[in-house]
Amino acid sequence: MDEESQVSERTATDLVRYALACHASGKPIKRENLKTHVLGNTPTRNTRPLLDRANELLSQNFGLRMVPLPSHEKTLTNNAKAQPAATKWVLQSTLPNDARQRLELAQTEDQQAILGFAATVLSLVFVSNMSVSVDQLVLYVRKLGPPQCIAAPADTREATSYASDAQMESAAREAIGYLTRQGYLDKVKLGASGGGEHSAETQATQATQATQLPTDDRHDEGMMYTWGPKARVEFQPLDMARFIAAATGQECTDEFIKTIGRAYGSNITASQ
């Protein structure tokens, strides 16, 4: 192996380490941070070979791969135009369902609580034709009770028995805002043409004219929540159907999957 190849292999290994560190902390892998944390003074004009080699190492050794996070524009609109180069990635398992847990990185109690909470909230959006009004989602989250690690200090579960309606709503909105900042949810405003049918390609097109708005906008008339880019990468339709079956104590039969697919707004297949 010549010196240039050795440098490339070392850089790819550094990228693997950085990707695993981001994954463990629940953060996306940002292109803008590659130079600081991976490339350093290494001259690299084209990062594609580096990304490809890092993905090979991740797949061979950890059963993972880096996948680009879809942009908000692609998430919310069925845009056929060419998308810009990816600027963020997350790690996704390449293993079949029955083998994933053996190689997944250990999670803290807080991480498990957040993931379980996110999956539950996303399942409610999933079975609502992939769009839920702001008020409805706030109501759902109030009933669920957000985990203490993302709730405001004054609104922990121990305090829910005497918390005021305003405190409970504040805690619910804070939890929804957290999921939005993490990329699990998107808050959108529907255009005058109204909502549209979901296609297998877009997974959840909110409307022909959907516009992302700031998460702290309290003018909720006409506002909806849908899945964000991170949710679309981490949760597949079939996995979500299985999660709902397990959470409700039902068997995930073909008929159950068909029923969930009707609520989702699109047929769910094994390839999804």
Side-chain angles (χ1 to χ4, degrees):
M1 184 181 293
D2 58 32
E3 183 178 352
E4 183 177 351
S5 297
Q6 290 177 349
V7 171
S8 298
E9 188 71 8
R10 187 164 58 248
T11 305
T13 302
D14 289 342
L15 177 53
V16 168
R17 293 194 186 100
Y18 176 62
L20 291 173
C22 290
H23 183 63
S25 61
K27 298 177 181 178
I29 304 154
K30 297 183 180 181
R31 180 183 292 273
E32 63 196 51
N33 291 339
L34 292 186
K35 182 171 179 58
T36 303
H37 298 283
V38 178
L39 298 176
N41 296 323
T42 303
T44 305
R45 294 183 179 180
N46 183 10
T47 59
R48 173 51 55 189
L50 172 64
L51 294 171
D52 290 343
R53 179 53 182 158
N55 263 337
E56 289 178 6
L57 294 173
L58 283 165
S59 179
Q60 292 168 5
N61 296 287
F62 300 97
L64 298 167
R65 63 175 178 175
M66 291 188 297
V67 295
L69 282 174
S71 66
H72 288 290
E73 180 181 9
K74 186 176 181 180
T75 298
L76 300 177
T77 62
N78 190 9
N79 191 347
K81 296 180 181 179
Q83 297 295 321
T87 59
K88 294 181 183 180
W89 299 264
V90 293
L91 293 187
Q92 185 182 70
S93 176
T94 62
L95 301 173
N97 288 334
D98 58 356
R100 287 182 183 177
Q101 292 184 345
R102 293 202 297 268
L103 289 179
E104 285 184 348
L105 298 175
Q107 292 181 319
T108 66
E109 289 186 7
D110 283 354
Q111 288 172 328
Q112 292 174 352
I114 290 171
L115 184 59
F117 175 69
T120 303
V121 171
L122 291 172
S123 71
L124 295 170
V125 178
F126 187 84
V127 296
S128 300
N129 208 27
M130 288 297 281
S131 63
V132 174
S133 70
V134 174
D135 289 342
Q136 188 65 56
L137 190 60
V138 170
L139 180 61
Y140 285 155
V141 173
R142 284 184 58 167
K143 290 181 178 180
L144 285 173
Q148 294 181 24
C149 52
I150 61 175
D155 298 312
T156 59
R157 287 188 180 181
E158 288 80 6
T160 54
S161 60
Y162 57 84
S164 68
D165 283 346
Q167 287 175 318
M168 293 172 65
E169 175 147 344
S170 176
R173 286 185 178 271
E174 173 60 28
I176 292 170
Y178 175 86
L179 294 181
T180 304
R181 293 190 298 273
Q182 292 295 311
Y184 286 115
L185 292 171
D186 262 342
K187 186 178 183 181
V188 300
K189 183 175 179 63
L190 298 181
S193 60
E197 294 294 329
H198 305 317
S199 70
E201 292 182 357
T202 59
Q203 197 179 66
T205 300
Q206 272 298 302
T208 332
Q209 301 172 345
T211 305
Q212 185 192 8
L213 292 183
T215 59
D216 58 354
D217 190 338
R218 296 304 177 87
H219 301 287
D220 293 339
E221 183 177 355
M223 302 300 297
M224 308 291 287
Y225 274 102
T226 184
W227 279 21
K230 189 173 183 179
R232 299 176 191 283
V233 170
E234 293 190 359
F235 298 93
Q236 303 303 312
L238 185 58
D239 292 336
M240 184 54 68
R242 289 169 176 158
F243 172 82
I244 294 169
T248 56
Q250 300 184 62
E251 186 177 354
C252 193
T253 62
D254 289 343
E255 187 58 35
F256 179 83
I257 292 174
K258 288 181 181 178
T259 301
I260 295 298
R262 287 193 289 270
Y264 162 55
S266 180
N267 292 331
I268 300 174
T269 64
S271 61
Q272 290 180 306

